[in-house]
Amino acid sequence: MDTLMLSRIQFGANISFHILFPTITIALGWVLLFFKLRFNATGNARWMDAYRFWVKVFALSFAMGVVSGITMSFQFGTNWPGFMETVGNIAGPLLAYEVMTAFFLEAVFLGIMLFGFSRVPGWLHTLATFLVAFGTTMSAFWILVLNSWMHTPQGFEMRDGVAHATSWFEIVFNPSMPYRLSHMLLASGLTVAFLIAGLSAFRWLLGDRSKSVQVTLKTGVYMGALLIPVQIFMGDMHGLNTLEHQPQKVAAMEGNWDTQSHVPLLLFALPDEEARENRMEVAIPNMASIILKHKAEGVVPGLNDFVTEDGEVMHPPVAPVFWSFRIMVGIGVAMLLLSWTASVLMLRKRRGPEALPKLMMLAMVPMAFSGWVATLAGWYTTEIGRQPWLVQGVLTTETAVADVPAPFVGTTLGAYLAIYALLLAAYIGVLFFLARKAVDGDLPRPRTPLSGHAVTREIPAE
């Protein structure tokens, strides 16, 4: 492989590893705030036990996200100098805003959130939890503003091959930003919902019937059941926005080669770019036109419209976009079925987790990381679907890559992949270690809080 492909794989590997952890911290901060507010309102120790367990997961995820983010940012200079040379006047300030408004906020109040329950007034600890949660969301906001601008750039002008801002309002509120931000925040919520449900189910299967496990399992299941239909709706809105601004991406997602009406929805196919056709199609007639145009007669753009007269392909590679999109949707369907079934059983029988069969509990454990897989699949759909552009219509990937010998990039890529595999295995191992440790009753007893609340404890159910 040449330098371009190796650099793309390397950056993809770095961002794939990095995104796993902000996907958790963005929503988990708000869940921790919910646990803390419930404790403030009731004084019941179940909520503080839940807080103390999941704040460890938050701290570990936050640390992993910071370290991997630093590594990723270096690659703007080492692998993609053309990016900052061309659009640095826009990308640089947006990244700086993220540091100033989000990262500093998280860094200042994280210590209070982690260690201040018994050392500061209760209102201050709750405020610190809120500010850390708010900081993680602001971080996501600025990063997604930049990413959305790269897909739908506006509010700038080119001077001597360099982008200069003409309207920061248009840059920040570019056409795809509201949809991309909403889709990502909901993805984070679903990731955390199923992580909480999965680890709580793991503790339940090991015999932990404590009240904190019951409330966290119900929180995860109900949270997933509420968010997944909203995510489906926002995903449809995001898709329609993408159809308007990046039709070649939607054509690749649908595996549609020719612009036409009555386009079927392909459940399965093997896209063949050389033959410019699909093999082994399994499809629902007219459904793609109905979804994208809301009528069977709706005309859907085809990939062949994005090939120049001299044969240059200006659409993304079809198979990766086609399959990553289906993986994302498939996991979303599994989330819907599992969370709704579990919610109905718990609500109908009014017994909480005791109403769930063992098989469903077993299914929740691997689904703990389903949000990761769905997020990565959606990210690949979005980012590979932008090719060959790095900034849509402004800068191609090929012109931005560094002039570095391919063996150098290949060597560092191999090192990154080995380290990331070890770190990921260690991270998952620590999560299950913490869960087993909690099952053994090795949770620290909270000191008397300065908030004045009396901590009430309940006898765990046998």
Side-chain angles (χ1 to χ4, degrees), residues 18 26 48 58 165 185 196 201 209 219 221 253 272 275 338 359 420 428:
H18 170 70
I26 291 167
M48 185 48 60
F58 181 93
L185 293 181
I196 291 175
R209 300 295 190 269
T219 298
V221 169
M253 290 161 56
D272 186 340
L338 182 60
L359 186 61
Y420 286 161
I428 295 174

Side-chain angles (χ1 to χ4, degrees), residues 21 23 31 37 69 82 90 98 125 129 135 154 156 200 211 247-248 291 339 341 372 384 406 435 440 461:
F21 307 107
T23 303
V31 174
L37 291 174
I90 294 171
E98 188 262 341
H125 184 259
T129 303
Q154 66 175 23
F156 71 102
S200 300
K211 295 294 184 181
Q248 69 275 27
I291 292 173
S339 61
T341 303
W372 273 2
I384 299 175
D440 295 335

Side-chain angles (χ1 to χ4, degrees), residues 177-310:
M177 187 278 288
Y179 304 96
R180 202 176 309 277
L181 177 64
S182 301
H183 199 53
M184 185 62 205
L185 293 181
L186 287 166
S188 176
L190 286 167
T191 299
V192 169
F194 281 87
L195 179 65
I196 291 175
L199 283 187
S200 300
F202 177 73
R203 290 173 62 179
W204 185 274
L205 289 168
L206 292 182
D208 188 349
R209 300 295 190 269
S210 64
K211 295 294 184 181
S212 65
V213 169
Q214 294 183 38
V215 297
T216 54
L217 197 150
K218 288 193 290 185
T219 298
V221 169
Y222 292 151
M223 183 177 170
L226 289 172
L227 291 182
I228 189 62
V230 182
Q231 179 69 303
I232 292 171
F233 172 76
M234 283 308 306
D236 179 65
M237 297 293 290
H238 188 21
L240 295 177
N241 178 264
T242 303
L243 177 64
E244 179 181 355
H245 296 281
Q246 295 175 304
Q248 69 275 27
K249 182 190 296 187
V250 174
M253 290 161 56
E254 298 299 334
N256 186 45
W257 296 95
D258 297 310
T259 299
Q260 57 187 326
S261 62
H262 299 279
V263 176
L265 176 65
L266 299 179
L267 303 179
F268 178 88
L270 299 177
D272 186 340
E273 287 198 50
E274 291 188 6
R276 314 288 301 172
E277 64 181 14
N278 298 320
R279 304 186 187 280
M280 301 177 64
E281 289 186 355
V282 178
I284 302 175
N286 302 324
M287 189 55 67
S289 289
I290 293 173
I291 292 173
L292 295 171
K293 296 294 186 176
H294 300 156
K295 57 182 179 180
E297 298 80 15
V299 177
V300 176
L303 291 160
N304 290 329
D305 289 354
F306 302 95
V307 180
T308 63
E309 292 182 359
D310 58 2

Side-chain angles (χ1 to χ4, degrees), residues 14 66-76 78 416 420:
N14 274 272
V66 170
V67 173
S68 59
I70 293 173
T71 304
M72 185 183 67
S73 64
F74 276 122
Q75 293 196 21
F76 287 126
T78 59
Y416 277 130
Y420 286 161

